[in-house]
Amino acid sequence: MEHVAIIMDGNGRWAEARGLTRSDGHKAGADNISRIADAARELGLKYLTLYAFSTENWKRPPAEVACLMGLISEITEKRLPDMMKNNIRLRTIGRTSDLPLLARKSLLKCIDETKNNTGLTINIALSYGGRAEIVDAVNKILAEKKTGDKIDEKEFINYLYAPDIPDPDLLIRTSGELRLSNFLLWELSYSEIYVTDTHWPDFDKEALQKAIDSFGKRKRRFGGLNK
Ligand code: FPP
């Protein structure tokens, strides 16, 4: 097990249950990213991909979008020293050029400063959509290849956002919904899926360990015969 991907759902419901605002929920959700990053490191994971903002999330009320954008710069700046100390590398996937300048600047700085770190890679999906990723790949191919040559799956992967990152072994979704919500459509083809009713701000190291333990009990066949 080296790569866990997480759909961090339920900040709103977590806040509502406590009589707090949705922004409070997102703030608690953002704080939980560092806790789960620590846990992932301690559990020996190499990659943690987090769905933080989808291409569809732009349709949320402007104040909520602004809160999420503000959190991007806040947590990347606040957490940079810890990331250096803990040998964590930050990456992003998605149409990040859509993000506001301030968020982009903080992200670029953090990505650049952590680029030689060799421990856990945190890969944050921002303005990300699985369909958008595939369409972006096709457009890169069209722009690059003037001939009508066919390509195979192996070559196609090189045009996705993070070709060097192996596919997730496990997808975790918090807050109970049983859907992919346009996350990593290509990369999740053979991943195991684990859904918990726990809302993201309450998802802790023990919960992560439980998800990983459940993965350990399954047999992955990749469409082939049982081994
Ligand atoms: C789902 O809660 C959460 C998101 C929209 C994305 C996850 C965001 C964070 C963890 C906060 C940090 C953010 C960034 C961008 C670094 P929801 O609002 O869908 O909850 P609900 O379904 O209960 O309403």
Side-chain angles (χ1 to χ4, degrees), residues 11-42:
N11 294 343
R13 276 163 281 177
W14 179 91
E16 199 179 315
R18 285 161 183 78
L20 300 169
T21 64
R22 292 184 63 80
S23 293
D24 293 329
H26 292 317
K27 170 107 189 37
D31 288 341
N32 199 39
I33 293 179
S34 1
R35 279 195 294 273
I36 287 301
D38 282 342
R41 210 166 38 79
E42 286 159 20

PDB file of all heavy atoms in Angstrom, residues 11-42:
ATOM      1  N   ASN A  11     -17.763  18.401   5.398  1.00  0.00           N
ATOM      2  CA  ASN A  11     -17.451  19.567   6.237  1.00  0.00           C
ATOM      3  C   ASN A  11     -18.733  20.323   6.611  1.00  0.00           C
ATOM      4  O   ASN A  11     -18.894  20.781   7.743  1.00  0.00           O
ATOM      5  CB  ASN A  11     -16.539  20.553   5.498  1.00  0.00           C
ATOM      6  CG  ASN A  11     -15.162  19.979   5.214  1.00  0.00           C
ATOM      7  OD1 ASN A  11     -14.774  18.990   5.811  1.00  0.00           O
ATOM      8  ND2 ASN A  11     -14.436  20.613   4.304  1.00  0.00           N
ATOM      9  N   GLY A  12     -19.626  20.457   5.617  1.00  0.00           N
ATOM     10  CA  GLY A  12     -20.874  21.195   5.829  1.00  0.00           C
ATOM     11  C   GLY A  12     -21.745  20.508   6.868  1.00  0.00           C
ATOM     12  O   GLY A  12     -22.256  21.140   7.803  1.00  0.00           O
ATOM     13  N   ARG A  13     -21.901  19.188   6.720  1.00  0.00           N
ATOM     14  CA  ARG A  13     -22.753  18.441   7.658  1.00  0.00           C
ATOM     15  C   ARG A  13     -22.144  18.426   9.065  1.00  0.00           C
ATOM     16  O   ARG A  13     -22.849  18.515  10.061  1.00  0.00           O
ATOM     17  CB  ARG A  13     -22.973  17.005   7.150  1.00  0.00           C
ATOM     18  CG  ARG A  13     -24.112  16.919   6.150  1.00  0.00           C
ATOM     19  CD  ARG A  13     -24.063  15.654   5.356  1.00  0.00           C
ATOM     20  NE  ARG A  13     -23.073  15.738   4.289  1.00  0.00           N
ATOM     21  CZ  ARG A  13     -22.776  14.734   3.474  1.00  0.00           C
ATOM     22  NH1 ARG A  13     -23.375  13.573   3.607  1.00  0.00           N
ATOM     23  NH2 ARG A  13     -21.887  14.901   2.510  1.00  0.00           N
ATOM     24  N   TRP A  14     -20.825  18.348   9.122  1.00  0.00           N
ATOM     25  CA  TRP A  14     -20.126  18.384  10.425  1.00  0.00           C
ATOM     26  C   TRP A  14     -20.440  19.699  11.137  1.00  0.00           C
ATOM     27  O   TRP A  14     -20.745  19.723  12.326  1.00  0.00           O
ATOM     28  CB  TRP A  14     -18.622  18.246  10.177  1.00  0.00           C
ATOM     29  CG  TRP A  14     -17.762  18.294  11.408  1.00  0.00           C
ATOM     30  CD1 TRP A  14     -17.366  17.219  12.160  1.00  0.00           C
ATOM     31  CD2 TRP A  14     -17.185  19.458  12.016  1.00  0.00           C
ATOM     32  NE1 TRP A  14     -16.577  17.645  13.212  1.00  0.00           N
ATOM     33  CE2 TRP A  14     -16.448  19.015  13.152  1.00  0.00           C
ATOM     34  CE3 TRP A  14     -17.208  20.818  11.739  1.00  0.00           C
ATOM     35  CZ2 TRP A  14     -15.748  19.885  13.983  1.00  0.00           C
ATOM     36  CZ3 TRP A  14     -16.527  21.689  12.573  1.00  0.00           C
ATOM     37  CH2 TRP A  14     -15.802  21.224  13.678  1.00  0.00           C
ATOM     38  N   ALA A  15     -20.374  20.808  10.370  1.00  0.00           N
ATOM     39  CA  ALA A  15     -20.607  22.131  10.958  1.00  0.00           C
ATOM     40  C   ALA A  15     -22.068  22.279  11.385  1.00  0.00           C
ATOM     41  O   ALA A  15     -22.369  22.746  12.496  1.00  0.00           O
ATOM     42  CB  ALA A  15     -20.234  23.205   9.946  1.00  0.00           C
ATOM     43  N   GLU A  16     -22.966  21.838  10.494  1.00  0.00           N
ATOM     44  CA  GLU A  16     -24.396  21.979  10.763  1.00  0.00           C
ATOM     45  C   GLU A  16     -24.780  21.254  12.053  1.00  0.00           C
ATOM     46  O   GLU A  16     -25.532  21.786  12.878  1.00  0.00           O
ATOM     47  CB  GLU A  16     -25.168  21.396   9.577  1.00  0.00           C
ATOM     48  CG  GLU A  16     -26.607  21.866   9.492  1.00  0.00           C
ATOM     49  CD  GLU A  16     -27.290  21.259   8.275  1.00  0.00           C
ATOM     50  OE1 GLU A  16     -26.655  21.261   7.184  1.00  0.00           O
ATOM     51  OE2 GLU A  16     -28.426  20.781   8.421  1.00  0.00           O
ATOM     52  N   ALA A  17     -24.217  20.068  12.244  1.00  0.00           N
ATOM     53  CA  ALA A  17     -24.529  19.276  13.440  1.00  0.00           C
ATOM     54  C   ALA A  17     -24.076  19.987  14.719  1.00  0.00           C
ATOM     55  O   ALA A  17     -24.550  19.671  15.809  1.00  0.00           O
ATOM     56  CB  ALA A  17     -23.859  17.909  13.341  1.00  0.00           C
ATOM     57  N   ARG A  18     -23.177  20.951  14.585  1.00  0.00           N
ATOM     58  CA  ARG A  18     -22.664  21.681  15.759  1.00  0.00           C
ATOM     59  C   ARG A  18     -23.181  23.111  15.823  1.00  0.00           C
ATOM     60  O   ARG A  18     -22.676  23.924  16.605  1.00  0.00           O
ATOM     61  CB  ARG A  18     -21.127  21.707  15.705  1.00  0.00           C
ATOM     62  CG  ARG A  18     -20.540  20.388  16.079  1.00  0.00           C
ATOM     63  CD  ARG A  18     -19.109  20.219  15.603  1.00  0.00           C
ATOM     64  NE  ARG A  18     -18.661  18.874  15.963  1.00  0.00           N
ATOM     65  CZ  ARG A  18     -18.984  17.772  15.308  1.00  0.00           C
ATOM     66  NH1 ARG A  18     -19.756  17.837  14.243  1.00  0.00           N
ATOM     67  NH2 ARG A  18     -18.555  16.588  15.717  1.00  0.00           N
ATOM     68  N   GLY A  19     -24.100  23.460  14.938  1.00  0.00           N
ATOM     69  CA  GLY A  19     -24.625  24.826  14.901  1.00  0.00           C
ATOM     70  C   GLY A  19     -23.582  25.831  14.435  1.00  0.00           C
ATOM     71  O   GLY A  19     -23.637  27.012  14.781  1.00  0.00           O
ATOM     72  N   LEU A  20     -22.624  25.361  13.637  1.00  0.00           N
ATOM     73  CA  LEU A  20     -21.569  26.256  13.130  1.00  0.00           C
ATOM     74  C   LEU A  20     -21.826  26.587  11.661  1.00  0.00           C
ATOM     75  O   LEU A  20     -22.712  26.007  11.027  1.00  0.00           O
ATOM     76  CB  LEU A  20     -20.200  25.562  13.265  1.00  0.00           C
ATOM     77  CG  LEU A  20     -19.768  25.167  14.692  1.00  0.00           C
ATOM     78  CD1 LEU A  20     -18.539  24.272  14.648  1.00  0.00           C
ATOM     79  CD2 LEU A  20     -19.505  26.409  15.532  1.00  0.00           C
ATOM     80  N   THR A  21     -21.046  27.512  11.096  1.00  0.00           N
ATOM     81  CA  THR A  21     -21.223  27.873   9.689  1.00  0.00           C
ATOM     82  C   THR A  21     -20.461  26.882   8.806  1.00  0.00           C
ATOM     83  O   THR A  21     -19.554  26.184   9.266  1.00  0.00           O
ATOM     84  CB  THR A  21     -20.642  29.277   9.402  1.00  0.00           C
ATOM     85  OG1 THR A  21     -19.224  29.238   9.630  1.00  0.00           O
ATOM     86  CG2 THR A  21     -21.274  30.329  10.302  1.00  0.00           C
ATOM     87  N   ARG A  22     -20.796  26.870   7.508  1.00  0.00           N
ATOM     88  CA  ARG A  22     -20.092  25.998   6.557  1.00  0.00           C
ATOM     89  C   ARG A  22     -18.607  26.364   6.514  1.00  0.00           C
ATOM     90  O   ARG A  22     -17.747  25.494   6.395  1.00  0.00           O
ATOM     91  CB  ARG A  22     -20.705  26.129   5.152  1.00  0.00           C
ATOM     92  CG  ARG A  22     -22.114  25.578   5.059  1.00  0.00           C
ATOM     93  CD  ARG A  22     -22.623  25.639   3.618  1.00  0.00           C
ATOM     94  NE  ARG A  22     -21.820  24.810   2.729  1.00  0.00           N
ATOM     95  CZ  ARG A  22     -21.944  23.499   2.611  1.00  0.00           C
ATOM     96  NH1 ARG A  22     -22.836  22.843   3.317  1.00  0.00           N
ATOM     97  NH2 ARG A  22     -21.187  22.832   1.771  1.00  0.00           N
ATOM     98  N   SER A  23     -18.320  27.671   6.654  1.00  0.00           N
ATOM     99  CA  SER A  23     -16.909  28.094   6.667  1.00  0.00           C
ATOM    100  C   SER A  23     -16.172  27.483   7.849  1.00  0.00           C
ATOM    101  O   SER A  23     -15.021  27.065   7.723  1.00  0.00           O
ATOM    102  CB  SER A  23     -16.805  29.619   6.739  1.00  0.00           C
ATOM    103  OG  SER A  23     -17.291  30.178   5.553  1.00  0.00           O
ATOM    104  N   ASP A  24     -16.839  27.423   9.009  1.00  0.00           N
ATOM    105  CA  ASP A  24     -16.216  26.768  10.177  1.00  0.00           C
ATOM    106  C   ASP A  24     -15.901  25.310   9.829  1.00  0.00           C
ATOM    107  O   ASP A  24     -14.857  24.774  10.215  1.00  0.00           O
ATOM    108  CB  ASP A  24     -17.153  26.788  11.394  1.00  0.00           C
ATOM    109  CG  ASP A  24     -17.383  28.194  11.937  1.00  0.00           C
ATOM    110  OD1 ASP A  24     -16.469  29.032  11.833  1.00  0.00           O
ATOM    111  OD2 ASP A  24     -18.494  28.450  12.460  1.00  0.00           O
ATOM    112  N   GLY A  25     -16.827  24.702   9.115  1.00  0.00           N
ATOM    113  CA  GLY A  25     -16.628  23.296   8.720  1.00  0.00           C
ATOM    114  C   GLY A  25     -15.420  23.146   7.815  1.00  0.00           C
ATOM    115  O   GLY A  25     -14.607  22.236   7.985  1.00  0.00           O
ATOM    116  N   HIS A  26     -15.283  24.045   6.845  1.00  0.00           N
ATOM    117  CA  HIS A  26     -14.130  23.960   5.928  1.00  0.00           C
ATOM    118  C   HIS A  26     -12.828  24.222   6.669  1.00  0.00           C
ATOM    119  O   HIS A  26     -11.805  23.614   6.376  1.00  0.00           O
ATOM    120  CB  HIS A  26     -14.297  24.944   4.771  1.00  0.00           C
ATOM    121  CG  HIS A  26     -15.421  24.567   3.842  1.00  0.00           C
ATOM    122  ND1 HIS A  26     -15.628  23.279   3.427  1.00  0.00           N
ATOM    123  CD2 HIS A  26     -16.403  25.310   3.259  1.00  0.00           C
ATOM    124  CE1 HIS A  26     -16.694  23.231   2.628  1.00  0.00           C
ATOM    125  NE2 HIS A  26     -17.182  24.452   2.520  1.00  0.00           N
ATOM    126  N   LYS A  27     -12.888  25.140   7.645  1.00  0.00           N
ATOM    127  CA  LYS A  27     -11.688  25.444   8.428  1.00  0.00           C
ATOM    128  C   LYS A  27     -11.256  24.194   9.201  1.00  0.00           C
ATOM    129  O   LYS A  27     -10.084  23.815   9.203  1.00  0.00           O
ATOM    130  CB  LYS A  27     -12.023  26.619   9.361  1.00  0.00           C
ATOM    131  CG  LYS A  27     -11.050  26.966  10.408  1.00  0.00           C
ATOM    132  CD  LYS A  27     -10.316  28.269  10.050  1.00  0.00           C
ATOM    133  CE  LYS A  27      -9.150  28.571  10.956  1.00  0.00           C
ATOM    134  NZ  LYS A  27      -8.367  27.457  11.394  1.00  0.00           N
ATOM    135  N   ALA A  28     -12.245  23.543   9.827  1.00  0.00           N
ATOM    136  CA  ALA A  28     -11.944  22.302  10.572  1.00  0.00           C
ATOM    137  C   ALA A  28     -11.423  21.231   9.604  1.00  0.00           C
ATOM    138  O   ALA A  28     -10.510  20.468   9.924  1.00  0.00           O
ATOM    139  CB  ALA A  28     -13.196  21.812  11.296  1.00  0.00           C
ATOM    140  N   GLY A  29     -12.000  21.212   8.396  1.00  0.00           N
ATOM    141  CA  GLY A  29     -11.557  20.247   7.382  1.00  0.00           C
ATOM    142  C   GLY A  29     -10.121  20.514   6.961  1.00  0.00           C
ATOM    143  O   GLY A  29      -9.319  19.590   6.792  1.00  0.00           O
ATOM    144  N   ALA A  30      -9.788  21.784   6.806  1.00  0.00           N
ATOM    145  CA  ALA A  30      -8.423  22.151   6.403  1.00  0.00           C
ATOM    146  C   ALA A  30      -7.432  21.756   7.507  1.00  0.00           C
ATOM    147  O   ALA A  30      -6.364  21.215   7.231  1.00  0.00           O
ATOM    148  CB  ALA A  30      -8.353  23.649   6.123  1.00  0.00           C
ATOM    149  N   ASP A  31      -7.816  22.010   8.785  1.00  0.00           N
ATOM    150  CA  ASP A  31      -6.936  21.615   9.901  1.00  0.00           C
ATOM    151  C   ASP A  31      -6.696  20.110   9.897  1.00  0.00           C
ATOM    152  O   ASP A  31      -5.629  19.631  10.262  1.00  0.00           O
ATOM    153  CB  ASP A  31      -7.545  22.025  11.252  1.00  0.00           C
ATOM    154  CG  ASP A  31      -7.489  23.539  11.452  1.00  0.00           C
ATOM    155  OD1 ASP A  31      -6.684  24.195  10.755  1.00  0.00           O
ATOM    156  OD2 ASP A  31      -8.255  24.052  12.288  1.00  0.00           O
ATOM    157  N   ASN A  32      -7.718  19.368   9.491  1.00  0.00           N
ATOM    158  CA  ASN A  32      -7.576  17.910   9.521  1.00  0.00           C
ATOM    159  C   ASN A  32      -6.594  17.394   8.462  1.00  0.00           C
ATOM    160  O   ASN A  32      -6.062  16.292   8.606  1.00  0.00           O
ATOM    161  CB  ASN A  32      -8.940  17.236   9.343  1.00  0.00           C
ATOM    162  CG  ASN A  32      -8.917  15.809   9.809  1.00  0.00           C
ATOM    163  OD1 ASN A  32      -8.286  15.492  10.822  1.00  0.00           O
ATOM    164  ND2 ASN A  32      -9.546  14.918   9.065  1.00  0.00           N
ATOM    165  N   ILE A  33      -6.352  18.191   7.419  1.00  0.00           N
ATOM    166  CA  ILE A  33      -5.406  17.754   6.383  1.00  0.00           C
ATOM    167  C   ILE A  33      -4.030  17.507   7.007  1.00  0.00           C
ATOM    168  O   ILE A  33      -3.392  16.486   6.751  1.00  0.00           O
ATOM    169  CB  ILE A  33      -5.330  18.773   5.224  1.00  0.00           C
ATOM    170  CG1 ILE A  33      -6.669  18.783   4.472  1.00  0.00           C
ATOM    171  CG2 ILE A  33      -4.175  18.429   4.273  1.00  0.00           C
ATOM    172  CD1 ILE A  33      -6.734  19.761   3.311  1.00  0.00           C
ATOM    173  N   SER A  34      -3.576  18.414   7.883  1.00  0.00           N
ATOM    174  CA  SER A  34      -2.240  18.193   8.469  1.00  0.00           C
ATOM    175  C   SER A  34      -2.223  16.987   9.402  1.00  0.00           C
ATOM    176  O   SER A  34      -1.244  16.250   9.446  1.00  0.00           O
ATOM    177  CB  SER A  34      -1.727  19.419   9.217  1.00  0.00           C
ATOM    178  OG  SER A  34      -2.624  20.458   9.205  1.00  0.00           O
ATOM    179  N   ARG A  35      -3.329  16.796  10.126  1.00  0.00           N
ATOM    180  CA  ARG A  35      -3.372  15.613  11.021  1.00  0.00           C
ATOM    181  C   ARG A  35      -3.294  14.324  10.201  1.00  0.00           C
ATOM    182  O   ARG A  35      -2.542  13.400  10.533  1.00  0.00           O
ATOM    183  CB  ARG A  35      -4.669  15.618  11.850  1.00  0.00           C
ATOM    184  CG  ARG A  35      -4.598  16.539  13.062  1.00  0.00           C
ATOM    185  CD  ARG A  35      -5.731  16.244  14.044  1.00  0.00           C
ATOM    186  NE  ARG A  35      -7.048  16.556  13.492  1.00  0.00           N
ATOM    187  CZ  ARG A  35      -7.619  17.757  13.561  1.00  0.00           C
ATOM    188  NH1 ARG A  35      -6.994  18.753  14.170  1.00  0.00           N
ATOM    189  NH2 ARG A  35      -8.803  17.972  13.043  1.00  0.00           N
ATOM    190  N   ILE A  36      -4.047  14.277   9.101  1.00  0.00           N
ATOM    191  CA  ILE A  36      -4.049  13.043   8.299  1.00  0.00           C
ATOM    192  C   ILE A  36      -2.728  12.885   7.528  1.00  0.00           C
ATOM    193  O   ILE A  36      -2.253  11.775   7.322  1.00  0.00           O
ATOM    194  CB  ILE A  36      -5.294  13.012   7.360  1.00  0.00           C
ATOM    195  CG1 ILE A  36      -6.546  12.742   8.209  1.00  0.00           C
ATOM    196  CG2 ILE A  36      -5.178  11.972   6.259  1.00  0.00           C
ATOM    197  CD1 ILE A  36      -6.536  11.440   9.015  1.00  0.00           C
ATOM    198  N   ALA A  37      -2.113  14.011   7.169  1.00  0.00           N
ATOM    199  CA  ALA A  37      -0.799  13.921   6.520  1.00  0.00           C
ATOM    200  C   ALA A  37       0.208  13.298   7.494  1.00  0.00           C
ATOM    201  O   ALA A  37       0.983  12.415   7.110  1.00  0.00           O
ATOM    202  CB  ALA A  37      -0.342  15.298   6.072  1.00  0.00           C
ATOM    203  N   ASP A  38       0.176  13.725   8.754  1.00  0.00           N
ATOM    204  CA  ASP A  38       1.072  13.136   9.760  1.00  0.00           C
ATOM    205  C   ASP A  38       0.809  11.640   9.900  1.00  0.00           C
ATOM    206  O   ASP A  38       1.733  10.835   9.946  1.00  0.00           O
ATOM    207  CB  ASP A  38       0.858  13.796  11.134  1.00  0.00           C
ATOM    208  CG  ASP A  38       1.536  15.153  11.198  1.00  0.00           C
ATOM    209  OD1 ASP A  38       2.412  15.419  10.351  1.00  0.00           O
ATOM    210  OD2 ASP A  38       1.180  15.960  12.086  1.00  0.00           O
ATOM    211  N   ALA A  39      -0.479  11.306   9.972  1.00  0.00           N
ATOM    212  CA  ALA A  39      -0.847   9.896  10.133  1.00  0.00           C
ATOM    213  C   ALA A  39      -0.367   9.082   8.925  1.00  0.00           C
ATOM    214  O   ALA A  39       0.184   7.993   9.082  1.00  0.00           O
ATOM    215  CB  ALA A  39      -2.356   9.772  10.285  1.00  0.00           C
ATOM    216  N   ALA A  40      -0.545   9.633   7.733  1.00  0.00           N
ATOM    217  CA  ALA A  40      -0.151   8.924   6.507  1.00  0.00           C
ATOM    218  C   ALA A  40       1.355   8.674   6.509  1.00  0.00           C
ATOM    219  O   ALA A  40       1.834   7.611   6.136  1.00  0.00           O
ATOM    220  CB  ALA A  40      -0.553   9.743   5.283  1.00  0.00           C
ATOM    221  N   ARG A  41       2.078   9.666   6.971  1.00  0.00           N
ATOM    222  CA  ARG A  41       3.543   9.555   7.047  1.00  0.00           C
ATOM    223  C   ARG A  41       3.919   8.455   8.035  1.00  0.00           C
ATOM    224  O   ARG A  41       4.740   7.587   7.742  1.00  0.00           O
ATOM    225  CB  ARG A  41       4.083  10.907   7.522  1.00  0.00           C
ATOM    226  CG  ARG A  41       5.436  11.281   7.051  1.00  0.00           C
ATOM    227  CD  ARG A  41       5.684  12.765   7.314  1.00  0.00           C
ATOM    228  NE  ARG A  41       5.144  13.263   8.565  1.00  0.00           N
ATOM    229  CZ  ARG A  41       5.699  13.100   9.765  1.00  0.00           C
ATOM    230  NH1 ARG A  41       6.816  12.454   9.889  1.00  0.00           N
ATOM    231  NH2 ARG A  41       5.117  13.608  10.853  1.00  0.00           N
ATOM    232  N   GLU A  42       3.281   8.510   9.208  1.00  0.00           N
ATOM    233  CA  GLU A  42       3.597   7.510  10.235  1.00  0.00           C
ATOM    234  C   GLU A  42       3.229   6.097   9.782  1.00  0.00           C
ATOM    235  O   GLU A  42       3.871   5.133  10.165  1.00  0.00           O
ATOM    236  CB  GLU A  42       2.866   7.847  11.544  1.00  0.00           C
ATOM    237  CG  GLU A  42       3.498   9.048  12.264  1.00  0.00           C
ATOM    238  CD  GLU A  42       2.539   9.711  13.257  1.00  0.00           C
ATOM    239  OE1 GLU A  42       1.550   9.056  13.679  1.00  0.00           O
ATOM    240  OE2 GLU A  42       2.787  10.891  13.584  1.00  0.00           O
TER     241      GLU A  42
END
